[in-house]
């Protein structure tokens, strides 16, 4: 019985604010709750929102999915790799990269190619996720450990 109320709340937030407000962060939290509920209605409702034109609502849902980090919801983000909205593409690439999905590699590589245009934390995550996709995390950890000694 929570699902319809949470989906209604998410859809009720301001779609075109000048900047994200507290309600948008709460909508991301509601998304995380829907992921925990995990019913077909909850996941289907999130999928429907993500299929809509980009707005603060879709960005809130993408942020909530990114924070939830559940492999079964990564598929919800996959279509966003083709979005014309860079923020949604980056969120999708981070989510899929977190799970080592090769579909994220081109977008993660694009972040590295334009590293100066992105925050350092995003560049670091993109680098790590590429290592994860390429199955080179153990090698990277070994090399980094040598540098720390």
């Amino acid at each position: 019985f929570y699902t319809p109320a949470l989906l209604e709340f998410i859809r009720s937030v301001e779609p075109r604010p000048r900047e994200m407000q507290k309600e948008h962060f709460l909508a991301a939290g509601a998304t995380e709750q829907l992921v925990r509920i995990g019913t077909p209605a909850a996941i289907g409702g999130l999928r429907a929102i993500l299929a809509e034109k980009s707005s603060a609502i879709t960005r809130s849902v993408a942020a909530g999915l990114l924070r939830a980090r559940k492999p079964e919801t990564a598929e919800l983000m996959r279509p966003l790799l083709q979005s014309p909205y860079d923020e949604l593409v980056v969120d999708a690439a981070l989510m899929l990269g977190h799970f080592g999905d090769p579909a994220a590699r081109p977008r993660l590589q694009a972040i590295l190619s334009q590293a100066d245009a992105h925050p350092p934390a995003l560049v670091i995550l993109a680098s790590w996720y590429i290592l994860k996709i390429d199955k080179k995390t153990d090698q990277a950890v070994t090399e980094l450990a040598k540098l720390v000694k």
Side-chain angles (χ1 to χ4, degrees), residues 61-80:
V61 169
L65 288 171
L66 188 58
R67 287 189 339 209
R69 295 201 187 256
K70 297 276 237 161
E72 59 272 18
T73 58
E75 288 308 309
L76 292 175
M77 297 289 272
R78 186 178 302 283
L80 297 180

PDB file of all heavy atoms in Angstrom, residues 61-80:
ATOM      1  N   VAL A  61      14.570  10.496  -9.426  1.00  0.00           N
ATOM      2  CA  VAL A  61      14.459   9.037  -9.472  1.00  0.00           C
ATOM      3  C   VAL A  61      15.808   8.418  -9.833  1.00  0.00           C
ATOM      4  O   VAL A  61      16.244   7.445  -9.198  1.00  0.00           O
ATOM      5  CB  VAL A  61      13.343   8.595 -10.450  1.00  0.00           C
ATOM      6  CG1 VAL A  61      13.399   7.095 -10.710  1.00  0.00           C
ATOM      7  CG2 VAL A  61      11.975   8.989  -9.891  1.00  0.00           C
ATOM      8  N   ALA A  62      16.497   8.977 -10.818  1.00  0.00           N
ATOM      9  CA  ALA A  62      17.813   8.446 -11.199  1.00  0.00           C
ATOM     10  C   ALA A  62      18.782   8.535 -10.016  1.00  0.00           C
ATOM     11  O   ALA A  62      19.528   7.590  -9.751  1.00  0.00           O
ATOM     12  CB  ALA A  62      18.360   9.203 -12.404  1.00  0.00           C
ATOM     13  N   ALA A  63      18.748   9.645  -9.289  1.00  0.00           N
ATOM     14  CA  ALA A  63      19.627   9.791  -8.118  1.00  0.00           C
ATOM     15  C   ALA A  63      19.280   8.771  -7.044  1.00  0.00           C
ATOM     16  O   ALA A  63      20.170   8.181  -6.416  1.00  0.00           O
ATOM     17  CB  ALA A  63      19.523  11.205  -7.556  1.00  0.00           C
ATOM     18  N   GLY A  64      17.996   8.533  -6.836  1.00  0.00           N
ATOM     19  CA  GLY A  64      17.574   7.534  -5.847  1.00  0.00           C
ATOM     20  C   GLY A  64      17.999   6.132  -6.239  1.00  0.00           C
ATOM     21  O   GLY A  64      18.433   5.343  -5.396  1.00  0.00           O
ATOM     22  N   LEU A  65      17.902   5.811  -7.522  1.00  0.00           N
ATOM     23  CA  LEU A  65      18.345   4.493  -7.996  1.00  0.00           C
ATOM     24  C   LEU A  65      19.852   4.348  -7.849  1.00  0.00           C
ATOM     25  O   LEU A  65      20.347   3.293  -7.464  1.00  0.00           O
ATOM     26  CB  LEU A  65      17.936   4.286  -9.452  1.00  0.00           C
ATOM     27  CG  LEU A  65      16.453   4.066  -9.703  1.00  0.00           C
ATOM     28  CD1 LEU A  65      16.154   4.088 -11.193  1.00  0.00           C
ATOM     29  CD2 LEU A  65      15.972   2.772  -9.074  1.00  0.00           C
ATOM     30  N   LEU A  66      20.568   5.411  -8.143  1.00  0.00           N
ATOM     31  CA  LEU A  66      22.022   5.387  -8.013  1.00  0.00           C
ATOM     32  C   LEU A  66      22.418   5.139  -6.564  1.00  0.00           C
ATOM     33  O   LEU A  66      23.315   4.353  -6.275  1.00  0.00           O
ATOM     34  CB  LEU A  66      22.606   6.711  -8.517  1.00  0.00           C
ATOM     35  CG  LEU A  66      24.109   6.813  -8.641  1.00  0.00           C
ATOM     36  CD1 LEU A  66      24.668   5.755  -9.568  1.00  0.00           C
ATOM     37  CD2 LEU A  66      24.484   8.204  -9.146  1.00  0.00           C
ATOM     38  N   ARG A  67      21.717   5.776  -5.641  1.00  0.00           N
ATOM     39  CA  ARG A  67      22.003   5.576  -4.217  1.00  0.00           C
ATOM     40  C   ARG A  67      21.590   4.197  -3.739  1.00  0.00           C
ATOM     41  O   ARG A  67      22.224   3.628  -2.850  1.00  0.00           O
ATOM     42  CB  ARG A  67      21.301   6.648  -3.375  1.00  0.00           C
ATOM     43  CG  ARG A  67      21.936   7.992  -3.492  1.00  0.00           C
ATOM     44  CD  ARG A  67      21.433   9.025  -2.533  1.00  0.00           C
ATOM     45  NE  ARG A  67      20.152   8.827  -1.930  1.00  0.00           N
ATOM     46  CZ  ARG A  67      19.345   9.790  -1.539  1.00  0.00           C
ATOM     47  NH1 ARG A  67      19.693  11.049  -1.731  1.00  0.00           N
ATOM     48  NH2 ARG A  67      18.198   9.535  -0.964  1.00  0.00           N
ATOM     49  N   ALA A  68      20.525   3.644  -4.313  1.00  0.00           N
ATOM     50  CA  ALA A  68      20.035   2.325  -3.878  1.00  0.00           C
ATOM     51  C   ALA A  68      21.026   1.226  -4.250  1.00  0.00           C
ATOM     52  O   ALA A  68      21.163   0.239  -3.535  1.00  0.00           O
ATOM     53  CB  ALA A  68      18.665   2.035  -4.485  1.00  0.00           C
ATOM     54  N   ARG A  69      21.695   1.372  -5.378  1.00  0.00           N
ATOM     55  CA  ARG A  69      22.742   0.435  -5.828  1.00  0.00           C
ATOM     56  C   ARG A  69      22.329  -1.034  -5.734  1.00  0.00           C
ATOM     57  O   ARG A  69      23.034  -1.845  -5.157  1.00  0.00           O
ATOM     58  CB  ARG A  69      24.023   0.665  -5.055  1.00  0.00           C
ATOM     59  CG  ARG A  69      24.605   2.019  -5.332  1.00  0.00           C
ATOM     60  CD  ARG A  69      26.066   2.042  -4.991  1.00  0.00           C
ATOM     61  NE  ARG A  69      26.570   3.373  -5.107  1.00  0.00           N
ATOM     62  CZ  ARG A  69      27.310   3.800  -6.120  1.00  0.00           C
ATOM     63  NH1 ARG A  69      27.628   2.994  -7.078  1.00  0.00           N
ATOM     64  NH2 ARG A  69      27.732   5.033  -6.167  1.00  0.00           N
ATOM     65  N   LYS A  70      21.202  -1.345  -6.306  1.00  0.00           N
ATOM     66  CA  LYS A  70      20.742  -2.725  -6.346  1.00  0.00           C
ATOM     67  C   LYS A  70      20.909  -3.248  -7.765  1.00  0.00           C
ATOM     68  O   LYS A  70      20.451  -2.620  -8.715  1.00  0.00           O
ATOM     69  CB  LYS A  70      19.266  -2.804  -5.963  1.00  0.00           C
ATOM     70  CG  LYS A  70      18.964  -2.351  -4.560  1.00  0.00           C
ATOM     71  CD  LYS A  70      19.182  -3.466  -3.609  1.00  0.00           C
ATOM     72  CE  LYS A  70      17.904  -3.690  -2.846  1.00  0.00           C
ATOM     73  NZ  LYS A  70      17.752  -4.895  -2.214  1.00  0.00           N
ATOM     74  N   PRO A  71      21.559  -4.396  -7.928  1.00  0.00           N
ATOM     75  CA  PRO A  71      21.790  -4.907  -9.288  1.00  0.00           C
ATOM     76  C   PRO A  71      20.505  -5.082 -10.091  1.00  0.00           C
ATOM     77  O   PRO A  71      20.481  -4.840 -11.293  1.00  0.00           O
ATOM     78  CB  PRO A  71      22.464  -6.252  -9.067  1.00  0.00           C
ATOM     79  CG  PRO A  71      22.772  -6.364  -7.634  1.00  0.00           C
ATOM     80  CD  PRO A  71      22.077  -5.264  -6.903  1.00  0.00           C
ATOM     81  N   GLU A  72      19.435  -5.460  -9.429  1.00  0.00           N
ATOM     82  CA  GLU A  72      18.185  -5.692 -10.161  1.00  0.00           C
ATOM     83  C   GLU A  72      17.557  -4.398 -10.677  1.00  0.00           C
ATOM     84  O   GLU A  72      16.746  -4.431 -11.594  1.00  0.00           O
ATOM     85  CB  GLU A  72      17.172  -6.479  -9.317  1.00  0.00           C
ATOM     86  CG  GLU A  72      16.786  -5.835  -8.016  1.00  0.00           C
ATOM     87  CD  GLU A  72      17.689  -6.198  -6.847  1.00  0.00           C
ATOM     88  OE1 GLU A  72      18.810  -6.681  -7.065  1.00  0.00           O
ATOM     89  OE2 GLU A  72      17.267  -5.986  -5.702  1.00  0.00           O
ATOM     90  N   THR A  73      17.939  -3.257 -10.131  1.00  0.00           N
ATOM     91  CA  THR A  73      17.398  -1.995 -10.638  1.00  0.00           C
ATOM     92  C   THR A  73      18.347  -1.319 -11.623  1.00  0.00           C
ATOM     93  O   THR A  73      17.986  -0.318 -12.241  1.00  0.00           O
ATOM     94  CB  THR A  73      17.062  -1.027  -9.491  1.00  0.00           C
ATOM     95  OG1 THR A  73      18.235  -0.799  -8.731  1.00  0.00           O
ATOM     96  CG2 THR A  73      15.952  -1.570  -8.621  1.00  0.00           C
ATOM     97  N   ALA A  74      19.524  -1.875 -11.796  1.00  0.00           N
ATOM     98  CA  ALA A  74      20.460  -1.305 -12.777  1.00  0.00           C
ATOM     99  C   ALA A  74      19.830  -1.315 -14.161  1.00  0.00           C
ATOM    100  O   ALA A  74      20.085  -0.416 -14.969  1.00  0.00           O
ATOM    101  CB  ALA A  74      21.774  -2.080 -12.766  1.00  0.00           C
ATOM    102  N   GLU A  75      19.002  -2.296 -14.432  1.00  0.00           N
ATOM    103  CA  GLU A  75      18.347  -2.378 -15.738  1.00  0.00           C
ATOM    104  C   GLU A  75      17.432  -1.183 -15.988  1.00  0.00           C
ATOM    105  O   GLU A  75      17.188  -0.821 -17.137  1.00  0.00           O
ATOM    106  CB  GLU A  75      17.584  -3.686 -15.890  1.00  0.00           C
ATOM    107  CG  GLU A  75      18.480  -4.889 -16.071  1.00  0.00           C
ATOM    108  CD  GLU A  75      19.501  -4.708 -17.190  1.00  0.00           C
ATOM    109  OE1 GLU A  75      19.110  -4.334 -18.323  1.00  0.00           O
ATOM    110  OE2 GLU A  75      20.694  -4.928 -16.948  1.00  0.00           O
ATOM    111  N   LEU A  76      16.920  -0.583 -14.916  1.00  0.00           N
ATOM    112  CA  LEU A  76      16.085   0.606 -15.088  1.00  0.00           C
ATOM    113  C   LEU A  76      16.910   1.769 -15.642  1.00  0.00           C
ATOM    114  O   LEU A  76      16.393   2.630 -16.344  1.00  0.00           O
ATOM    115  CB  LEU A  76      15.469   1.033 -13.754  1.00  0.00           C
ATOM    116  CG  LEU A  76      14.437   0.114 -13.139  1.00  0.00           C
ATOM    117  CD1 LEU A  76      14.023   0.618 -11.767  1.00  0.00           C
ATOM    118  CD2 LEU A  76      13.231  -0.021 -14.041  1.00  0.00           C
ATOM    119  N   MET A  77      18.187   1.778 -15.307  1.00  0.00           N
ATOM    120  CA  MET A  77      19.051   2.868 -15.724  1.00  0.00           C
ATOM    121  C   MET A  77      19.611   2.682 -17.135  1.00  0.00           C
ATOM    122  O   MET A  77      19.988   3.648 -17.781  1.00  0.00           O
ATOM    123  CB  MET A  77      20.210   3.016 -14.736  1.00  0.00           C
ATOM    124  CG  MET A  77      19.784   3.382 -13.330  1.00  0.00           C
ATOM    125  SD  MET A  77      19.190   5.060 -13.194  1.00  0.00           S
ATOM    126  CE  MET A  77      20.734   5.898 -12.869  1.00  0.00           C
ATOM    127  N   ARG A  78      19.675   1.451 -17.604  1.00  0.00           N
ATOM    128  CA  ARG A  78      20.296   1.164 -18.910  1.00  0.00           C
ATOM    129  C   ARG A  78      19.753   2.056 -20.037  1.00  0.00           C
ATOM    130  O   ARG A  78      20.545   2.620 -20.811  1.00  0.00           O
ATOM    131  CB  ARG A  78      20.149  -0.306 -19.263  1.00  0.00           C
ATOM    132  CG  ARG A  78      20.884  -0.697 -20.529  1.00  0.00           C
ATOM    133  CD  ARG A  78      20.766  -2.180 -20.818  1.00  0.00           C
ATOM    134  NE  ARG A  78      21.280  -2.993 -19.734  1.00  0.00           N
ATOM    135  CZ  ARG A  78      22.572  -3.215 -19.491  1.00  0.00           C
ATOM    136  NH1 ARG A  78      23.475  -2.673 -20.267  1.00  0.00           N
ATOM    137  NH2 ARG A  78      22.959  -3.971 -18.489  1.00  0.00           N
ATOM    138  N   PRO A  79      18.442   2.240 -20.174  1.00  0.00           N
ATOM    139  CA  PRO A  79      17.948   3.101 -21.268  1.00  0.00           C
ATOM    140  C   PRO A  79      18.441   4.546 -21.170  1.00  0.00           C
ATOM    141  O   PRO A  79      18.521   5.241 -22.183  1.00  0.00           O
ATOM    142  CB  PRO A  79      16.423   3.033 -21.120  1.00  0.00           C
ATOM    143  CG  PRO A  79      16.160   1.779 -20.371  1.00  0.00           C
ATOM    144  CD  PRO A  79      17.340   1.585 -19.463  1.00  0.00           C
ATOM    145  N   LEU A  80      18.792   4.983 -19.974  1.00  0.00           N
ATOM    146  CA  LEU A  80      19.252   6.356 -19.809  1.00  0.00           C
ATOM    147  C   LEU A  80      20.626   6.593 -20.436  1.00  0.00           C
ATOM    148  O   LEU A  80      21.023   7.745 -20.639  1.00  0.00           O
ATOM    149  CB  LEU A  80      19.272   6.749 -18.334  1.00  0.00           C
ATOM    150  CG  LEU A  80      17.911   6.751 -17.631  1.00  0.00           C
ATOM    151  CD1 LEU A  80      18.076   7.158 -16.178  1.00  0.00           C
ATOM    152  CD2 LEU A  80      16.927   7.655 -18.350  1.00  0.00           C
TER     153      LEU A  80
END
